Amino acid sequence: MRLDIGWLDLATAFACCVLPRRRTIAVRQARQSWNSQDDFLVTLSVRSAFDLLLRALQLPHGSEVLLSALTVPDMVRIVQMHGLVPVPVDTDQTGQIDASSLRRAISSQTRMVVVAHLFGGWMCLDEVLEIAHDHELLVVEDCAQSFRRVGDSAHSASDVAMFSFGPIKTASALGGAVARVRAPELRERMSELLQSDPIQSRTSFLLRLARFAALKLLSGNRTAALTRYCVTRLGGDFDALVNSVVRGFPTSGLLVHLRRQPSSPLLGLLERRWRSYEFGRIENRIRLGKFLDSRIGQEHTATHSYWVYPVFVHDPIAICERFQAAGFDATRQARMTVVPAVDDPRTPASAAAVWKHVVFLPWYPDMPHGAVDEMAGLIRPSDLRTGRCETAAEETRN
Ligand SMILES: Cc1ncc(COP(=O)(O)O)c(C=O)c1O
């Protein structure tokens, strides 16, 4: 993993932490650099925006919130912390939900469906929106993994769309998010609640900058290999260590951490990233992704931006070992989870089976073409699983 942020961005952000700046100006300039609409809020994170949405909606206790079966654990926790019930909607190998899984997951208690566009892909939402409309469900798009252009509104018919600029995201600002909210009354209620929240302190953002600057230093080719070697020799788990460092907020007291407005330096960094991000980086990532697809016989949709490159293999441990022996940092660990089932008929069998077989390849926009070619040479056609058919076969076997 490489942080998608430059040293100059970090240095400017450090300077913003110590130089005074009126907050109203920081808010206005950040908003203007996203887009000229007035239909969005800038929040501390996607999780903060999601919590804000649930605070504003005040759904009846015990209401069910459908979530794509693969998501980050905090999204599930936030639903539970509001006295609501998270229900998984099964996903396939590409992270997409299909109409039949969605229909199966809906009950008389369902009020909302949160669709995650995973791995850099974009789901076609037309059918989901139709079903949601029939059942009067709110549709929320979680675009945390799929940012592709500044000012994006995602699907015009969804109720809410959320974009993340957290540490490991495209055009990272080490935090911050945008939530586009279609209904003016809901947006107004969310905005009032947000303005009553405390503001993230400059010191806490400064410490965050320092933590990620250190991580950036350690994630260079040689330094990462050396750190992995040292951590492993000392009996530690390098992947677990990295995941704990990049995790945004501590699990204990999660809501207190989420319920803060972004600080002026964070708003300044968001503005800078949106104004000057080099979108050629995404194009480069797509070119590499398509090249790897062609080399190992994979396929992704035309709008995929290859934020990460997961492969689904029969023996993920063996593949990780093979990659590591060849000097590539492939990992099975991700910050995602399979949303637990609430009852038998709504078990996300496909997502659970898929997730056991995932390996994330090392992946970043300026990865040398030759390295991608070399990685392709390490994957044999017989290593790869082929998706739903195999999942169905596994289910039958079990
Ligand atoms: C699918 C998904 N949803 C939500 C989030 C949370 O985003 P944030 O860190 O901005 O809260 C992430 C972060 O990785 C994510 O991948």
Side-chain angles (χ1 to χ4, degrees), residues 273-285:
R273 306 289 4 244
W274 297 339
R275 196 169 23 81
S276 59
Y277 185 70
E278 224 182 282
F279 278 87
R281 292 176 64 72
I282 300 182
E283 295 308 316
N284 227 9
R285 211 171 60 193

Side-chain angles (χ1 to χ4, degrees), residues 17-69:
C17 286
V18 289
L19 297 173
R21 188 175 183 215
R22 289 258 300 277
R23 196 181 146 71
T24 45
I25 297 176
V27 173
R28 192 179 65 234
Q29 291 187 341
R31 292 186 63 86
Q32 281 169 350
S33 69
W34 179 252
N35 72 25
S36 58
Q37 310 289 317
D38 207 18
D39 61 354
F40 65 93
L41 305 169
V42 182
T43 60
L44 190 65
S45 66
V46 157
R47 286 161 291 169
S48 307
F50 187 49
D51 167 61
L52 190 61
L53 172 68
L54 295 179
R55 281 154 78 195
L57 285 171
Q58 295 284 322
L59 297 173
H61 191 86
S63 299
E64 293 183 355
V65 173
L66 306 185
L67 297 163
S68 294

Side-chain angles (χ1 to χ4, degrees), residues 152-319:
D152 200 352
S153 294
H155 200 297
S156 58
S158 68
D159 295 287
V160 177
M162 306 180 295
F163 299 87
S164 171
F165 298 91
I168 57 170
K169 302 298 168 7
T170 303
S172 169
L174 305 183
V178 167
R180 192 267 298 148
V181 185
R182 194 153 60 96
E185 318 81 59
L186 178 60
R187 192 167 61 241
E188 191 51 39
R189 231 177 306 145
M190 288 172 69
S191 171
E192 279 167 17
L193 285 167
L194 180 62
Q195 279 165 41
S196 67
D197 284 342
I199 297 169
Q200 176 192 39
S201 75
R202 281 168 179 260
T203 315
S204 85
F205 188 60
L206 186 78
L207 292 174
R208 192 172 172 79
L209 283 171
R211 179 155 53 106
F212 284 101
L215 192 68
K216 184 172 168 65
L217 208 61
L218 287 180
S219 64
N221 273 347
R222 296 220 163 90
T223 40
L226 185 66
T227 317
R228 176 182 278 283
Y229 175 78
C230 294
V231 171
T232 312
R233 283 302 294 260
L234 291 169
D237 180 337
F238 180 75
D239 293 337
L241 178 73
V242 169
N243 275 315
S244 74
V245 174
V246 298
R247 191 173 59 216
F249 307 110
T251 309
S252 63
L254 177 66
L255 292 185
V256 176
H257 289 277
L258 293 181
R259 290 178 183 173
R260 288 176 298 159
Q261 301 181 57
S263 62
S264 298
L266 171 55
L267 289 165
L269 184 55
L270 285 166
E271 179 216 333
R272 180 182 162 84
R273 306 289 4 244
W274 297 339
R275 196 169 23 81
S276 59
Y277 185 70
E278 224 182 282
F279 278 87
R281 292 176 64 72
I282 300 182
E283 295 308 316
N284 227 9
R285 211 171 60 193
I286 294 172
R287 259 194 302 277
L288 290 175
K290 289 193 186 308
F291 170 64
L292 186 52
D293 282 352
S294 68
R295 287 281 278 105
I296 63 173
Q298 296 291 287
E299 238 182 288
H300 289 86
T301 53
T303 51
H304 209 287
S305 67
Y306 299 86
W307 175 59
V308 285
Y309 201 109
V311 285
F312 301 93
V313 293
H314 296 291
D315 188 346
I317 297 174
I319 296 292

Side-chain angles (χ1 to χ4, degrees), residues 45-47 71-72 75 116 118 142 144-145 164 166 169 176-177 335:
S45 66
V46 157
R47 286 161 291 169
T71 188
V72 288
M75 294 296 277
L118 294 176
D142 179 346
Q145 301 189 357
S164 171
K169 302 298 168 7
R335 296 167 59 227

